[in-house]
Amino acid sequence: VGVIDDGIDLEEIHEDLQGRVISGFTPNCVSGCDGRAKEANFHGESCAGIIGANHNGIGMDGIAPNITLIPFRIFKKEDKGAFKDGAIARTIDKAWDDFDCDILSCSWGGGAESNKIKKAIKNAQTKGRNGKGTIVVFSSGNFNAASQPIMGFPGSVAGVLTVGSIDLNGNLFDYSGRGSALEIVAPSGE
């Protein structure tokens, strides 16, 4: 699974991810270009844990504990935002083409539509896994959309498996994207 986000700590791999993470990729990079996280927040590492944390009796259990996780860092250091659309598109293409990822997990979005990113997603969906198509998963977004049935980009791209957020009672959180593109929901927060 390619985790396209803000990276995973490769200096000291988390105990729940031991033996599961291999080097990935960071675009527009001079050193440490292997998908390693550059700040202490580690959103990508948290996403990786939900996907594939070991069932080792420590911490949490991931939903697929026997898969390999590959980090792809598309965010710059400390509140500098994401790389430009072309670099993100190249990273998506690299994940399915050069790294042979079967699934791309992307817990980001909400910006303006980008033809470059949309084309890279379509390439993954049609050319990945030797023509069978790489599964592309996106967050529905974390913006307040309770009054509007809208879905943020790239969760709105056709064929993307888009995940929204529900509370412990099964109610869609106000901040979760919504609408016809929402494919699946999962518990988040309280």
Side-chain angles (χ1 to χ4, degrees):
V1 174
V3 181
I4 302 176
D5 205 285
D6 69 355
I8 295 175
D9 183 5
L10 297 178
E11 297 293 323
E12 186 176 332
I13 295 181
H14 192 281
E15 60 194 3
D16 283 344
L17 300 176
Q18 289 289 325
R20 314 295 309 295
V21 180
I22 64 172
S23 293
F25 174 75
T26 303
N28 302 341
C29 179
V30 177
S31 67
C33 303
D34 50 8
R36 67 185 58 229
K38 291 291 184 183
E39 54 189 38
N41 189 8
F42 300 143
H43 181 267
E45 186 164 303
S46 297
C47 295
I50 292 168
I51 297 164
N54 290 314
H55 292 192
N56 56 9
I58 305 170
M60 62 179 282
D61 293 343
I63 59 171
N66 296 316
I67 52 101
T68 300
L69 298 161
I70 308 171
F72 296 88
R73 184 171 62 83
I74 59 163
F75 291 93
K76 301 173 187 174
K77 285 183 175 180
E78 302 289 342
D79 298 323
K80 301 281 189 219
F83 289 110
K84 294 188 180 201
D85 293 354
I88 293 172
R90 282 192 313 278
T91 302
I92 291 169
D93 283 334
K94 195 167 211 39
W96 68 263
D97 195 15
D98 295 349
F99 286 84
D100 296 321
C101 292
D102 295 326
I103 300 169
L104 303 182
S105 175
C106 310
S107 290
W108 51 272
E113 282 200 24
S114 162
N115 287 332
K116 291 176 183 178
I117 293 174
K118 192 183 292 187
K119 181 178 180 190
I121 291 169
K122 290 297 176 193
N123 285 341
Q125 292 171 325
T126 57
K127 298 176 182 177
R129 295 190 313 146
N130 297 315
K132 293 182 271 187
T134 295
I135 298 164
V136 181
V137 182
F138 266 94
S139 160
S140 67
N142 292 340
F143 49 88
N144 188 339
S147 62
Q148 309 171 33
I150 60 171
M151 180 63 60
F153 177 82
S156 59
V157 173
V160 165
L161 179 62
T162 307
V163 183
S165 302
I166 58 171
D167 63 22
L168 295 176
N169 297 315
N171 300 309
L172 202 59
F173 273 114
D174 286 346
Y175 63 80
S176 180
R178 53 200 67 225
S180 61
L182 188 62
E183 298 285 337
I184 190 170
V185 293
S188 170
E190 312 167 356

